[in-house]
Amino acid sequence: MRRTQMRIALLALPALVGSVLITTAPAGAEPADSAATVGSGRSHLEDAEQVRLVRIQLTGADMLDKVTAAGFDLEHGLKRVPDGIEGEAVVTAEQIAELKAMGVEILGDGEGFTWSDEADGGIQTFRAQAAQTLSHEQTVRVVRADWFTTKGQGFLYVEARTTAGQQTNPIVTMQLENDSGPGTSFGSARTMSRFVDSGQYMFHRNLFKLDARPNQIRVTSSTGGVTTGYVSNWLEDGAPPLTANPGYKSDFVDGYRTPQQLYSRAEEIARQYPDIAEIVYLPNKTNGYQRKAQATIGGTGQSAVVVSSAAWGHEGGNDITVEFVNRPGANLPLDVEVNGKAVRVLLAKNASGALASTAAQVATALKAQSGGLIDRAHPYRTNAGTGIVQASSPVALTDFLGEKRAGAPEGDVPRGPATIPVLRIGKHRDGRNPGVLIQAQDHAREWVPATTSLESAERLVHNYKSDWETKKIVNNTDIFFILSNNPDGANYSFYNFASQRRNMTNHCPDADADPARRNSWGVDLNRNYRVGSGHDGYSGGSTSCVSDTYQGPEKLSEPESKNIIWLVEKYRNIKFMMSVHSNGGQLFWQPGAYIANGRITTPRPPLGDEAFYWQSASRILSQVKAHRETVVTPENVGGSSDVLYSSAGNVREDLYFNYGIYAFGWEVGGSIYNPATGNWQGGSFQPTWVGNPELVSGHAETMEYANGIMEMFRVAADWGTDNKKPTSQLVPGRGNYSEPVDVHFETSEPATIYYTTDGSRPTLESPRYTATEFREPGQVFHVTETTTFNWFSVDSAGNIEQNYDPKNNDTRNNYRTATITVGK
């Protein structure tokens, strides 16, 4: 028997994201019970002059890694285009030159990739060729063909793959045609876009408007391969949301919330509803909303000295002053005087009475003779400190945390380490029910995920007694809400620097530790985990401490990531997880990272798990659509390394591969179709809270994505009560065939199939039925000689077909079996 991989049904997808706001201008309305008012933020280049927003194009994820490692903030909302990745950056003229030197293309107005709505006639060069439709050695496969509507407009998304896709001389082109309904002919020929990532061919695809739903599509390659496929519906039109039930209560959150407000409300919910809610406090305190007090004295040249206090700014560091003193006389030694919190550096003088202390010498003296007030002093960045230090008046050190940005909430932020509360909701919180972990705001500047999660929690407790569907959720699941997993960074985003992404821990060496770098410190918590880590060579995590994807000095170096592992190890009933982010408009899962050289991904989930992810995604996203017809488009759903980019060391893969948790990542927001312009409009990390309800606004995103989270709870509840055994079959089935035949497995629900073809009894160690290719359905076996298939299927809840026991020597041997007889 010879095995060949081939497409059987439509399944899979990648990424059309809207433009991202890398530096945002939030203008959110705070809730009535809060004194906070969120205003505009500055970019991470806030100290630079003449900054501007530019659109850029990168060749792929490898270049993305290099650019982010250089300190450019390009994360989230990136758009994968046929020959690379497009994004935005806020830069100075000098930094534009730096990007160009790195090979980054700067796009002008109107430049960049856009989907064409017009048919272009397709590929003309091979029209006269005799195209051959092949079977088991098919050169062209339709991966998926999806029809959806939004705001009254229809769209068709098609993804196809050719076995010659990696070929570059010449590049293989693909043509797409669609009919106009059952029984109509193919037409509207258009050339498909070829997508490549890190030098590896991904697929050809198209997304375009259509006024009528087609029934079939036809794809032809320039090598002569032809295939057809049926069009499927993407998402459920008219799926009734929970909010449609009479008396259902929603719309509880009326503005963005700081971590303190989120935690206070979580604790209040636990007090108000003790029969179904409680607080679990995570054991590892954060490193804190706090910084050492600093100053750079003497400019930025060789005579500059960077000084940092030993105490945190709020614990006395902000009271320190440092003065460089020029005394009269000659042949004077370098010395340091300390009077209370006043530090005076008495500069050395040579025989002629000229100042003689270098910056390096002054730094050494400060560390040794400041009476413990200064614990870090060094020349500026990479300077050797050979310049002669000049006298200065007393300079006050500061942690800069008192300098609030325009529009920051009123009041002071609690300083020091924070304890993160987890709001746990469930009627039975004893491990009997499947647990669901909702983790929001790993990334500080993403404000909507926190409000979306809080809205979901409010809906559970307010509707428990009055709504039957909510009661079923609370009675049959055990839900854990981390409303803000990065309180230090989130506070910094609200109060100081709106574009803050990471936590506030400064792991930087002296070269990057001066206060002008303060908005570039911190660890990207979603790069700090153990599977597919940047420490192991996977792309998407940076070793640069000033990169927005800095992975930390080691795996699980941060208390915030240690807490997640503690939680899932303590509560082993957690079987589902949603890491909520913004603002790309994607829903994804494993694989999440790859090694750029060869694009080697982390292991892909078994076909049964992949199918379960797709099924769950369809349910979740249909509920999002039900709110205001927002569609997360099909190319934005699937393995995150396929639809987005490589994100080394992300939380989802750690939880899936180490604990068997179905772990989703969700980029809320993103592009939404604007019927007034006929275009897709991009989102923002901190959109105006009350804006156009049909387009981008924090309130609308909060409500529609809360719908999706509620549906995820229903997915978990259904999973927990599922005791129905899956069924499966070999298609076509057993029988006599005069010539070789192609066969494949089909299942009644998402399930993993274990099989043998050597006559042996199938077990959990037997070969597993796999996908044809990433984001495609199951393989096809090209059977050339008589072969017996023995198999069984296991669904996502662990139910085994026909109660077969694959672990023990089941004397019943009630596995499935079928013999394909060839040539008789």
Side-chain angles (χ1 to χ4, degrees):
M1 185 192 75
R2 185 159 57 90
R3 227 178 345 175
T4 305
Q5 296 190 338
M6 167 187 165
R7 178 201 158 276
I8 295 300
L10 303 177
L11 194 69
L13 338 144
L16 160 127
V17 190
S19 64
V20 205
L21 217 54
I22 296 301
T23 149
T24 57
E30 281 297 310
D33 61 350
S34 166
T37 301
V38 180
S40 297
R42 295 176 290 176
S43 85
H44 70 300
L45 303 166
E46 61 177 1
D47 297 317
E49 297 180 355
Q50 304 299 320
V51 298
R52 65 188 180 95
L53 180 71
V54 297
R55 285 200 59 75
I56 62 175
Q57 180 166 328
L58 309 122
T59 56
D62 46 356
M63 180 178 282
L64 174 65
D65 285 350
K66 294 175 184 176
V67 173
T68 53
F72 293 93
D73 183 2
L74 305 177
E75 269 289 303
H76 285 270
L78 297 171
K79 178 180 179 180
R80 189 184 293 281
V81 297
D83 51 355
I85 298 172
E86 288 181 5
E88 293 177 342
V90 178
V91 289
T92 63
E94 180 181 0
Q95 289 166 326
I96 289 177
E98 183 182 348
L99 286 173
K100 288 181 177 178
M102 297 174 70
V104 176
E105 182 181 355
I106 308 298
L107 301 175
D109 292 342
E111 293 184 345
F113 177 75
T114 57
W115 295 105
S116 173
D117 294 325
E118 302 298 326
D120 60 9
I123 305 163
Q124 304 296 326
T125 56
F126 60 91
R127 285 272 185 186
Q129 295 184 17
Q132 180 183 6
T133 302
L134 304 177
S135 57
H136 62 276
E137 292 182 342
Q138 200 167 4
T139 61
V140 177
R141 300 190 302 274
V142 173
V143 177
R144 64 180 312 118
D146 285 307
W147 167 260
F148 65 90
T149 60
T150 178
K151 313 292 186 182
Q153 177 62 58
F155 286 87
L156 178 65
Y157 172 73
V158 177
E159 183 176 312
R161 187 174 279 122
T162 168
T163 55
Q166 192 67 23
Q167 176 181 311
T168 58
N169 189 22
I171 291 176
V172 175
T173 52
M174 302 261 274
Q175 172 181 283
L176 168 65
E177 299 168 281
N178 61 270
D179 64 18
S180 300
T184 61
S185 59
F186 290 111
S188 303
R190 61 192 73 227
T191 304
M192 300 187 75
S193 296
R194 177 177 178 264
F195 279 69
V196 174
D197 180 32
S198 297
Q200 298 298 309
Y201 170 71
M202 301 280 287
F203 36 68
H204 285 72
R205 66 179 184 180
N206 271 82
L207 173 71
F208 52 93
K209 298 176 187 175
L210 281 179
D211 292 331
R213 185 193 188 283
N215 182 55
Q216 282 187 289
I217 54 103
R218 179 168 64 189
V219 177
T220 310
S221 86
S222 56
T223 60
V226 178
T227 193
T228 60
Y230 285 94
V231 176
S232 301
N233 288 332
W234 173 241
L235 308 185
E236 301 173 24
D237 283 325
L242 284 169
T243 50
N245 296 341
Y248 187 86
K249 304 178 186 70
S250 62
D251 205 353
F252 295 98
V253 182
D254 56 2
Y256 292 121
R257 297 287 204 275
T258 66
Q260 293 73 246
Q261 293 166 332
L262 292 167
Y263 296 167
S264 175
R265 180 56 189 152
E267 291 165 338
E268 186 178 17
I269 287 173
R271 289 193 298 270
Q272 288 177 320
Y273 303 92
D275 56 330
I276 59 171
E278 64 179 300
I279 294 292
V280 174
Y281 290 101
L282 295 176
N284 300 293
K285 289 190 174 184
T286 69
N287 294 315
Y289 178 81
Q290 57 189 9
R291 282 195 172 150
K292 299 300 179 72
Q294 293 184 295
T296 301
I297 306 173
T300 59
Q302 288 290 343
S303 60
V305 180
V306 178
V307 183
S308 301
S309 64
W312 297 108
H314 66 285
E315 293 179 344
N318 289 336
D319 300 327
I320 298 171
T321 61
V322 175
E323 179 183 6
F324 295 164
V325 180
N326 181 1
R327 299 166 291 168
N331 291 319
L332 298 176
L334 174 63
D335 200 2
V336 177
E337 293 181 347
V338 178
N339 183 11
K341 295 294 183 70
V343 179
R344 301 178 78 236
V345 178
L346 308 179
L347 300 172
K349 303 189 79 169
N350 60 21
S352 62
L355 293 174
S357 298
T358 66
Q361 291 169 336
V362 168
T364 299
L366 276 168
K367 287 187 287 186
Q369 300 174 247
S370 66
L373 293 178
I374 304 299
D375 76 342
R376 194 168 186 176
H378 51 85
Y380 181 78
R381 298 197 181 173
T382 57
N383 293 345
T386 56
I388 301 300
V389 173
Q390 301 301 303
S392 72
S393 56
V395 175
L397 274 58
T398 175
D399 61 9
F400 295 94
L401 296 180
E403 299 180 5
K404 293 185 178 180
R405 65 173 182 81
E410 303 224 349
D412 293 326
V413 187
R415 302 294 178 89
T419 297
I420 299 176
V422 181
L423 175 60
R424 186 181 187 186
I425 297 177
K427 181 63 177 176
H428 307 289
R429 302 183 299 282
D430 53 10
R432 75 177 73 172
N433 287 332
V436 185
L437 171 58
I438 303 297
Q439 176 208 51
Q441 210 170 37
D442 249 1
H443 294 150
R445 64 192 176 199
E446 299 167 13
W447 296 355
V448 175
T451 57
T452 298
S453 301
L454 178 59
E455 171 70 19
S456 303
E458 297 280 11
R459 292 184 186 184
L460 288 175
V461 296
H462 284 281
N463 291 292
Y464 176 64
K465 292 185 177 180
S466 59
D467 179 74
W468 174 238
E469 288 294 331
T470 304
K471 184 178 287 289
K472 285 196 296 184
I473 290 171
V474 176
N475 286 349
N476 295 306
T477 60
D478 189 1
I479 299 168
F480 299 80
F481 287 97
I482 301 178
L483 298 176
S484 175
N485 195 46
N486 183 5
D488 303 339
N491 276 319
Y492 197 65
S493 176
F494 273 101
Y495 290 89
N496 304 99
F497 173 56
S499 292
Q500 178 75 8
R501 170 182 166 89
R502 295 155 286 169
N503 69 8
M504 288 183 62
T505 308
N506 179 9
H507 289 291
C508 283
D510 291 350
D512 289 307
D514 59 273
R517 292 286 208 203
R518 66 188 181 276
N519 290 339
S520 297
W521 296 331
V523 174
D524 181 342
L525 299 178
N526 204 34
R527 299 295 184 274
N528 194 231
Y529 291 86
R530 299 168 295 181
V531 175
S533 169
H535 295 283
D536 297 323
Y538 285 82
S539 294
S542 176
T543 58
S544 170
C545 68
V546 292
S547 167
D548 257 332
T549 55
Y550 177 49
Q551 61 197 13
E554 60 187 23
K555 301 173 187 178
L556 296 183
S557 63
E558 305 309 293
E560 297 91 341
S561 51
K562 288 183 174 119
N563 279 334
I564 301 301
I565 301 306
W566 176 88
L567 191 69
V568 299
E569 289 188 346
K570 180 176 178 62
Y571 300 100
R572 292 287 184 163
N573 63 318
I574 295 178
K575 300 300 181 184
F576 292 84
M577 184 263 193
M578 179 81 80
S579 180
V580 191
H581 293 261
S582 68
N583 66 328
Q586 292 119 358
L587 181 60
F588 43 71
W589 45 86
Q590 305 76 40
Y594 56 76
I595 298 171
N597 185 13
R599 203 177 182 279
I600 303 169
T601 70
T602 49
R604 295 185 178 275
L607 185 58
D609 280 4
E610 180 87 0
F612 181 70
Y613 271 125
W614 279 105
Q615 181 188 75
S616 303
S618 178
R619 290 180 58 175
I620 291 166
L621 296 176
S622 292
Q623 289 297 317
V624 173
K625 182 181 179 183
H627 181 71
R628 56 167 186 162
E629 289 196 82
T630 293
V631 172
V632 175
T633 52
E635 71 270 27
N636 285 320
V637 181
S640 64
S641 65
D642 302 329
V643 308
L644 197 54
Y645 43 67
S646 179
S647 52
N650 67 77
V651 63
R652 303 180 308 277
E653 296 204 283
D654 200 318
L655 299 197
Y656 177 78
F657 289 113
N658 286 330
Y659 304 99
I661 295 169
Y662 287 107
F664 293 82
W666 205 353
E667 292 272 352
V668 307
S671 294
I672 186 168
Y673 182 69
N674 184 347
T677 63
N679 297 316
W680 292 85
Q681 178 177 322
S684 166
F685 291 120
Q686 299 141 14
T688 300
W689 180 255
V690 180
N692 184 337
E694 293 301 314
L695 297 176
V696 177
S697 77
H699 175 261
E701 289 180 6
T702 294
M703 297 307 141
E704 65 192 352
Y705 285 98
N707 279 11
I709 289 179
M710 296 298 292
E711 186 62 24
M712 184 179 179
F713 298 152
R714 291 207 286 188
V715 168
D718 291 344
W719 181 90
T721 57
D722 178 14
N723 56 16
K724 183 179 180 181
K725 308 294 188 292
T727 61
S728 60
Q729 59 181 333
L730 192 66
V731 180
R734 70 183 72 226
N736 298 324
Y737 299 89
S738 60
E739 57 186 26
V741 61
D742 294 336
V743 300
H744 66 278
F745 287 111
E746 292 182 358
T747 59
S748 60
E749 60 176 293
T752 297
I753 289 177
Y754 297 86
Y755 70 94
T756 64
T757 56
D758 61 0
S760 64
R761 178 177 177 273
T763 70
L764 293 172
E765 304 302 318
S766 299
R768 196 163 51 193
Y769 187 53
T770 63
T772 305
E773 181 58 274
F774 67 90
R775 302 203 308 277
E776 291 192 40
Q779 67 197 77
V780 163
F781 303 93
H782 186 59
V783 182
T784 60
E785 59 187 18
T786 297
T787 303
T788 296
F789 288 83
N790 295 329
W791 78 92
F792 65 94
S793 61
V794 184
D795 69 13
S796 61
N799 298 307
I800 300 179
E801 186 172 9
Q802 297 186 165
N803 283 322
Y804 175 60
D805 185 354
K807 295 182 179 179
N808 300 318
N809 188 13
D810 192 334
T811 56
R812 295 173 300 162
N813 283 333
N814 59 331
Y815 49 79
R816 301 295 311 280
T817 186
T819 298
I820 305 295
T821 303
V822 179
K824 295 182 181 179

